[in-house]
């Protein structure tokens, strides 16, 4: 779950200390302030900051910065920039904060202000660390510490040591982290900088907790709690108490002998934080205090008391107009109610949390760590918990319309998550735009089954839509077990000289297809459309095996990242206008693809249109063609890659790498024309084995580009095999009434019957994505 204070949230150096440092040590701000002077604005911003009103603090400090700059007061201009960046970072506006700090560093270097230079470097390093950039964080903090030591500024040295300790933690260098924190705390104490000393002490305790030095961690937190009580009520005092409370809670999980005592101490620390928040009118921080206290009671199994405390957290976050806190406690309310068996009320609470989350989701995502699974594990957990509650409620009903309604609501909940997940991957709103103009597609084809797996930690549910009905099948296989089987299958499938993949292909068939077979037969299904979840995105379903034959030998197969993301209009075969482009020559260090020239010629023979090959396949040429012509099919035969980060995904042209964003901008032009792009084929592309994030990019390529369908490959395959399959695919589209899914099935079966290409590594990686008609 996303939260303001992470489970092991290490405390950064506070703005209060920086202000005290400037006043006491540097001699800045010494001019007597006139009314509305920039000096007054600095002090005013500080007051807003301590009350947790970061927007007002930003406004005051920004104005002060401008005034100081106009007056030529470089020192105070730098200081105001540093303050403003801190407030911006608290609001999650990390890029703006980073730009201000870079300006502060440059100005401090230009005008020779080493103290402010070290201070700006410290905050810039901490900001890099916040967004997961540990290498630049370490370099900048070490440089800033060197500057502080050179000028023998002991308060700054103590400050930078604390932030350096945080960086060592992120790099898993726990011994160096504890050493940095300990030196920071001792030095800060000697300078009577007690807030900083407390922060370093708390941070050291959290590292010791991670390394199971339980006694040391407990002692440090208890000492930090005693010291924090003497601080005046402020934003930093609240942060200290809430972090101490969470730390003591985490210790109680390991130190069962003293669990009752630690529970009491954790509860007291959190209540102290709440008391301080009430004293300064900080509703938002008060809501976190009540919420964390509720979590403490939840761990003790005291769900009714936890529910009451969560209601107080909701009230405080509403009063403080803090939706980023409100959605958390609405979410928690759903969890408590589910534990108490009140499923209808739980579902309503979960829905309120989702409704609160949606307008602020992008802002929250900006503060997530860069780990590939961060979005799913944090934001996604809410949607999956609601889906689980809906399915539990469905279990309680007898068969009927209400049961079907709950199944559709479950699917809609996961659909909302899938759209959000794609938007997070591509970092723009293209998914929401497409989703808004596309209608549900359950009843389009009576011979098509839509297979919708939902993977939960302890089981997998499959929702199957057939001819306007929906059914649920529960598979007793855990997420861990299923994911391991998927990864083994995916890795072994590319080994063309062995059949080691086969047991895993059969195991997955047994889990995912066999329970559906009676339904598929009774409805005379000929096409399966999968909406894969998690690791299932990384494998070709066509290669699953029943012991006698592959799935593709029985059914046409397509995949889509989401039903509400699919434009279900069929291909207009009479109006095909083709653009085919490719590289047969080796360029930019990539190997040649000698069969591409024949591949492009075959397409030309079938459909005519425009072709660009090798030196004609320039980024400028393809841009010009797409702007001038209303193509309905675009075929690109070139090296391409889908990566964890969409910025690293590309298609190779003769002169450069075309990014997914650039491709999306070009193809996006078709969305505003009468003739849309029916099919985008990417031949010779790949995504890394087992990389769910990269596979998400591949799955979303049609969505991102604005095409109704995409044909792409999970891994790079034999050049001749690729050209052969592509030729048969287009020939089927030209010569028959087959859907795109059936055309791909026929092409894959052709390779299956080939003496050389029968191994699934040659034909299975081709995926038909999104529209299958």
């Amino acid at each position: 779950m996303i939260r303001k204070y992470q489970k092991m949230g290490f405390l950064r150096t506070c703005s209060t200390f920086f202000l005290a440092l400037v006043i006491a040590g540097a001699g800045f701000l010494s001019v007597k302030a006139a009314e509305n002077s920039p000096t007054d604005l600095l002090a005013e911003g500080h007051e807003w900051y301590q009350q947790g009103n970061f927007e007002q603090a930003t406004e005051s400090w920004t104005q002060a910065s401008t005034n100081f700059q106009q007056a030529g007061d470089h020192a105070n201009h730098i200081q105001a920039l540093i303050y403003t960046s801190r407030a911006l970072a608290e609001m999650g506006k990390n890029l703006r904060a980073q730009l201000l700090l870079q300006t502060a560093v440059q100005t401090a270097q230009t005008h020779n202000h080493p103290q402010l230079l070290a201070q700006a470097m410290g905050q810039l390093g901490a900001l890099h660390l916040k967004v997961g950039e540990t290498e630049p964080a370490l370099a900048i903090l070490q440089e800033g510490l060197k500057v502080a030591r050179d000028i023998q500024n002991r308060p700054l040295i103590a400050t930078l040591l604390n932030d350096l300790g945080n960086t060592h933690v992120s790099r898993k260098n726990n011994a160096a982290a504890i050493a940095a924190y300990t030196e920071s705390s001792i030095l800060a104490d000697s300078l009577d900088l007690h807030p900083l000393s407390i922060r370093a002490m708390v941070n050291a305790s959290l590292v010791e907790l991670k390394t199971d030095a339980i006694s040391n961690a407990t002692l440090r937190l208890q000492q930090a709690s005693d010291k924090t009580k003497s601080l005046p009520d402020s934003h930093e005092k609240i942060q200290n108490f809430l972090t101490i409370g969470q730390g003591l809670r985490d210790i109680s999980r390991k130190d069962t002998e003293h669990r009752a005592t630690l529970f009491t101490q954790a509860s007291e620390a959190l209540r102290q934080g709440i008391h301080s928040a009430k004293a300064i009118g900080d509703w938002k921080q008060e809501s976190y205090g009540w919420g964390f206290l509720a979590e403490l009671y939840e761990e003790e199994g005291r769900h009714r008391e936890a529910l009451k405390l969560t209601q107080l957290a909701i009230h405080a976050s509403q009063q403080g107009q803090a939706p980023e806190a409100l959605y958390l406690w609405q979410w928690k309310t759903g969890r408590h109610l589910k534990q108490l068996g009140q499923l209808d009320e739980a579902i309503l609470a979960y829905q309120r949390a989702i409704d609160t989350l949606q307008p602020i989701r992008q802002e929250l995502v900006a503060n997530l760590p860069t780990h590939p699974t961060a979005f799913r594990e944090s934001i996604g957990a809410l949607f999956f918990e609601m889906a689980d509650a809906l399915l539990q409620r469905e279990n309680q009903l007898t068969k009927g319309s209400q049961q079907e309604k709950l199944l559709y609501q479950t699917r809609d909940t996961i659909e909302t998550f899938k759209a959000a997940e794609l938007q997070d991957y591509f970092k723009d709103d293209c998914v929401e735009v497409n989703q808004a103009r596309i209608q549900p597609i359950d009843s389009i084809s009576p011979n098509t089954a839509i297979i919708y797996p939902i993977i939960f930690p302890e089981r997998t549910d499959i929702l199957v839509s057939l001819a306007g009905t929906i059914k649920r099948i529960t598979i007793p296989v855990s997420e861990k077990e299923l994911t391991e089987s998927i990864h083994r299958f995916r890795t072994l499938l590319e080994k063309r000289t062995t059949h080691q993949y086969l047991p895993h292909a059969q195991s997955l068939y047994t889990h995912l297809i066999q329970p559906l077979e009676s339904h598929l037969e009774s409805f005379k299904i000929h096409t399966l459309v999968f909406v894969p979840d998690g690791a299932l995105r990384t494998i070709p379903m066509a290669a699953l095996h029943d012991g006698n034959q592959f799935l593709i030998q029985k059914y046409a197969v397509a995949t889509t990242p989401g039903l509400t993301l699919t434009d279900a209009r069929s291909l207009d075969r009479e109006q095909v206008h083709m653009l085919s482009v490719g590289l047969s020559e080796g360029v930019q260090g990539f190997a040649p693809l000698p069969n591409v020239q024949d591949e492009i010629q075959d397409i030309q023979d079938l459909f005519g249109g425009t072709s660009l090959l090798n030196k004609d396949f320039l980024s400028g040429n393809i841009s010009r063609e797409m702007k001038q012509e209303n193509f309905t099919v675009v075929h690109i035969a070139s090296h391409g890659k889908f990566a964890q980060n969409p910025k690293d995904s590309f298609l190779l042209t003769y002169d450069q790498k075309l990014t997914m964003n650039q491709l999306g901008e070009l193809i996006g032009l078709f969305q505003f024309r009468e003739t849309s792009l029916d099919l985008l084929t990417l031949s010779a592309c790949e995504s890394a084995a087992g990389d769910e994030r990269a596979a998400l990019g591949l799955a979303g390529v049609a969505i991102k580009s604005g095409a109704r369908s995409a044909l792409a490959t999970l891994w790079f395959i034999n050049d001749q095999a690729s050209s052969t399959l592509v030729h048969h695919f287009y020939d089927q589209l030209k010569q028959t009434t087959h859907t795109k899914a059936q055309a791909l099935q026929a092409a894959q079966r052709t390779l299956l019957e080939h003496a050389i290409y029968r191994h699934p590594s040659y034909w299975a990686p081709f995926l038909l994505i999104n529209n299958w008609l």
Side-chain angles (χ1 to χ4, degrees):
M1 180 188 293
I2 295 177
R3 52 179 64 166
K4 175 68 177 177
Y5 303 92
Q6 296 292 336
K7 174 184 173 184
M8 294 291 286
F10 292 86
L11 296 168
R12 288 180 50 204
T13 306
C14 60
S15 183
T16 307
F17 165 67
F18 281 136
L19 185 60
L21 172 67
V22 171
I23 294 173
F28 308 135
L29 310 181
S30 58
V31 179
K32 185 177 180 180
E35 189 176 357
N36 295 323
S37 71
T39 308
D40 270 343
L41 288 168
L42 276 187
E44 180 183 276
H46 169 65
E47 291 175 6
W48 286 124
Y49 184 93
Q50 285 305 310
Q51 293 174 27
N53 192 332
F54 304 120
E55 289 186 8
Q56 288 290 343
T58 297
E59 186 176 324
S60 297
W61 284 335
T62 298
Q63 186 59 54
S65 170
T66 301
N67 293 351
F68 281 130
Q69 185 179 31
Q70 291 172 347
D73 188 342
H74 303 299
N76 282 319
H77 168 55
I78 296 165
Q79 189 67 63
L81 289 175
I82 294 171
Y83 288 159
T84 308
S85 70
R86 180 59 188 260
L88 287 169
E90 290 284 0
M91 294 187 288
K93 299 178 179 179
N94 299 323
L95 181 58
R96 283 181 59 192
Q98 192 174 61
L99 291 173
L100 287 184
L101 287 170
Q102 288 169 350
T103 300
V105 167
Q106 291 168 0
T107 307
Q109 289 172 330
T110 301
H111 297 282
N112 193 27
H113 289 294
Q115 176 180 298
L116 292 172
L117 174 61
Q119 189 177 327
M121 283 180 168
Q123 197 151 312
L124 182 58
L127 190 56
H128 276 295
L129 181 61
K130 180 183 177 184
V131 298
E133 298 168 351
T134 57
E135 290 296 330
L138 181 64
I140 292 169
L141 286 168
Q142 286 177 333
E143 188 177 350
L145 182 60
K146 181 179 183 303
V147 173
R149 291 191 191 278
D150 287 344
I151 61 175
Q152 299 182 2
N153 189 310
R154 297 172 71 210
L156 260 178
I157 293 169
T159 301
L160 289 164
L161 282 167
N162 179 65
D163 290 335
L164 192 60
N166 293 344
T167 308
H168 287 313
V169 170
S170 292
R171 294 168 60 84
K172 297 181 172 54
N173 192 343
N174 295 326
I178 291 174
Y181 290 140
T182 302
E183 184 181 354
S184 173
S185 182
I186 293 171
L187 182 56
D189 248 346
S190 71
L191 298 168
D192 292 330
L193 297 171
H194 301 301
L196 176 58
S197 175
I198 293 168
R199 282 173 175 266
M201 188 182 299
V202 170
N203 287 340
S205 73
L206 298 181
V207 180
E208 287 175 326
L209 176 57
K210 286 176 65 176
T211 58
D212 289 329
I214 302 300
S215 298
N216 288 346
T218 304
L219 181 60
R220 285 188 195 262
L221 285 177
Q222 290 168 342
Q223 291 174 340
S225 181
D226 291 339
K227 288 187 174 185
T228 301
K229 291 174 185 177
S230 64
L231 297 178
D233 292 319
S234 64
H235 177 67
E236 66 197 89
K237 182 176 182 178
I238 302 165
Q239 278 191 318
N240 284 350
F241 271 131
L242 297 190
T243 306
I244 289 167
Q246 286 185 293
L248 290 167
R249 178 204 64 191
D250 291 346
I251 290 173
S252 72
R253 294 170 178 164
K254 297 184 176 184
D255 188 357
T256 54
E257 182 182 349
H258 301 99
R259 186 176 178 87
T261 301
L262 289 164
F263 174 90
T264 301
Q265 292 175 345
S267 176
E268 181 185 351
L270 293 172
R271 291 184 186 277
Q272 290 272 9
I274 293 167
H275 177 78
S276 292
K278 284 180 177 292
I280 65 173
D282 190 338
W283 286 104
K284 179 178 174 181
Q285 302 290 57
E286 182 184 338
S287 83
Y288 283 114
W290 289 121
F292 296 155
L293 192 59
E295 290 179 350
L296 193 62
Y297 278 79
E298 179 187 13
E299 290 198 11
E300 296 293 306
R302 297 160 67 173
H303 291 287
R304 295 197 182 280
E305 292 166 279
L307 183 59
K308 291 178 181 178
L309 292 167
T310 305
Q311 294 305 309
L312 292 173
I314 287 175
H315 173 73
S317 56
Q318 288 171 330
Q319 293 298 312
Q321 298 182 340
E324 70 276 21
L326 176 60
Y327 99 92
L328 288 175
W329 313 131
Q330 290 169 330
W331 178 355
K332 275 289 187 180
T333 298
R335 189 177 293 175
H336 298 319
L337 289 167
K338 190 166 77 166
Q339 286 288 337
L340 293 168
Q342 298 172 235
L343 289 176
D344 288 333
E345 294 85 349
I347 290 165
L348 290 174
Y350 281 128
Q351 188 60 59
R352 282 192 291 268
I354 289 172
D355 292 341
T356 302
L357 168 67
Q358 292 294 66
I360 61 170
R361 190 185 68 240
Q362 289 186 358
E363 182 180 342
L364 291 175
V365 168
N367 286 313
L368 283 176
T370 54
H371 192 274
T373 61
F375 184 85
R376 185 182 180 93
E377 291 173 354
S378 52
I379 297 287
L382 167 59
F383 295 88
F384 281 87
E385 281 186 33
M386 178 172 175
D388 184 53
L390 287 162
L391 293 174
Q392 284 189 35
R393 185 71 181 97
E394 187 264 347
N395 271 338
Q396 297 175 348
L397 301 175
T398 56
K399 290 183 179 180
S401 59
Q402 186 63 27
Q403 200 174 29
E404 278 205 345
K405 181 181 177 182
L406 286 169
L407 293 179
Y408 280 120
Q409 191 177 353
T410 300
R411 197 178 71 181
D412 290 344
T413 299
I414 301 300
E415 279 287 299
T416 304
F417 165 70
K418 287 179 181 294
E421 189 179 30
L422 271 179
Q423 185 176 350
D424 170 62
Y425 178 81
F426 288 117
K427 303 300 182 188
D428 66 25
D429 61 357
C430 64
V431 172
E432 289 187 354
V433 171
N434 284 339
Q435 189 179 29
R437 63 182 177 81
I438 294 170
Q439 299 301 315
I441 55 175
D442 286 275
S443 305
I444 287 175
S445 173
N447 300 114
T448 297
I450 297 170
I451 301 175
Y452 206 106
I454 306 175
I455 303 173
F456 294 104
E458 302 304 325
R459 72 180 195 278
T460 299
D461 277 297
I462 301 177
L463 304 183
V464 189
S465 299
L466 310 103
T469 68
I470 188 168
K471 302 180 184 300
R472 173 193 177 192
I473 296 168
T474 299
I475 313 300
V477 57
S478 69
E479 180 178 18
K480 181 181 178 182
E481 182 184 351
L482 184 63
T483 300
E484 288 176 354
S485 182
I486 288 168
H487 285 168
R488 288 195 295 270
F489 173 57
R490 172 67 171 82
T491 302
L492 295 171
L493 198 57
E494 289 189 59
K495 296 185 176 182
R496 299 171 185 172
T497 58
T498 79
H499 290 82
Q500 292 175 295
Y501 69 87
L502 196 54
H504 305 292
Q506 293 171 350
S507 173
L508 289 170
Y509 187 99
T510 300
H511 289 317
L512 301 172
I513 306 300
Q514 192 175 72
L516 320 178
E517 285 183 324
S518 60
H519 298 298
L520 301 178
E521 290 171 5
S522 63
F523 281 89
K524 299 184 178 359
I525 297 300
H526 59 56
T527 299
L528 305 181
V529 178
F530 291 90
V531 189
D533 181 34
L536 285 172
R537 296 191 188 102
T538 67
I539 60 171
M541 308 303 289
L544 301 189
H545 201 278
D546 68 359
N548 295 309
Q549 57 186 334
F550 291 103
L551 188 65
I552 198 65
Q553 293 174 280
K554 300 165 69 173
Y555 303 100
V557 175
T559 184
T560 178
L563 293 180
T564 54
L565 306 173
T566 303
D567 184 342
R569 290 170 288 177
S570 58
L571 175 68
D572 186 349
R573 298 162 193 271
E574 302 301 319
Q575 300 295 326
V576 172
H577 188 190
M578 174 74 74
L579 171 64
S580 50
V581 300
L583 291 174
S584 62
E585 300 174 4
V587 296
Q588 301 176 52
F590 287 84
L593 300 169
N595 287 286
V596 163
Q597 185 164 350
D598 290 339
E599 183 177 321
I600 298 297
Q601 187 59 56
D602 283 345
I603 294 170
Q604 281 280 294
D605 293 342
L606 284 168
F607 292 102
T610 302
S611 66
L612 301 172
L613 184 66
N614 294 328
K615 292 183 180 179
D616 292 327
F617 180 24
L618 301 171
S619 55
N621 288 350
I622 192 172
S623 175
R624 184 191 67 248
E625 292 294 339
M626 287 190 178
K627 288 176 181 177
Q628 292 179 353
E629 297 289 335
N630 291 329
F631 297 108
T632 60
V633 179
V634 173
H635 179 95
I636 302 176
S638 177
H639 291 283
K641 178 183 178 182
F642 291 88
Q644 281 189 6
N645 189 333
K647 294 179 182 178
D648 298 326
S649 301
F650 67 89
L651 296 171
L652 192 69
T653 68
Y654 191 85
D655 57 337
Q656 67 175 55
K657 292 177 180 177
L658 192 68
T659 68
M660 289 298 111
N661 283 338
Q662 290 170 326
L663 181 67
E665 288 171 6
L666 290 175
I667 297 178
L669 297 171
F670 293 95
Q671 297 181 56
F672 307 102
R673 298 176 182 175
E674 200 169 310
T675 304
S676 62
L677 183 63
D678 283 318
L679 175 63
L680 170 67
T681 298
L682 305 176
S683 178
C685 294
E686 64 177 321
S687 62
D691 191 331
E692 294 178 30
R693 188 76 171 166
L696 180 64
L698 178 64
V701 66
I703 306 297
K704 173 63 178 173
S705 66
R708 290 182 191 168
S709 305
L711 180 63
T713 50
L714 276 168
W715 60 81
F716 180 77
I717 64 172
N718 178 282
D719 181 35
Q720 178 62 54
S722 178
S723 295
T724 301
L725 187 143
V726 165
H727 168 77
H728 284 290
F729 170 73
Y730 282 119
D731 187 58
Q732 288 290 314
L733 284 183
K734 179 72 173 180
Q735 308 296 340
T736 72
T737 59
H738 286 343
T739 64
K740 291 192 286 285
Q742 290 171 321
L744 178 59
Q745 179 191 25
Q748 290 177 311
R749 291 178 68 167
T750 298
L751 261 68
L752 248 172
E753 295 164 4
H754 195 286
I756 297 175
Y757 303 135
R758 64 181 56 174
H759 193 283
S761 63
Y762 291 106
W763 52 263
F766 278 89
L767 301 184
L768 181 65
I769 302 164
N770 232 28
N771 179 304
W772 65 92
L773 298 173

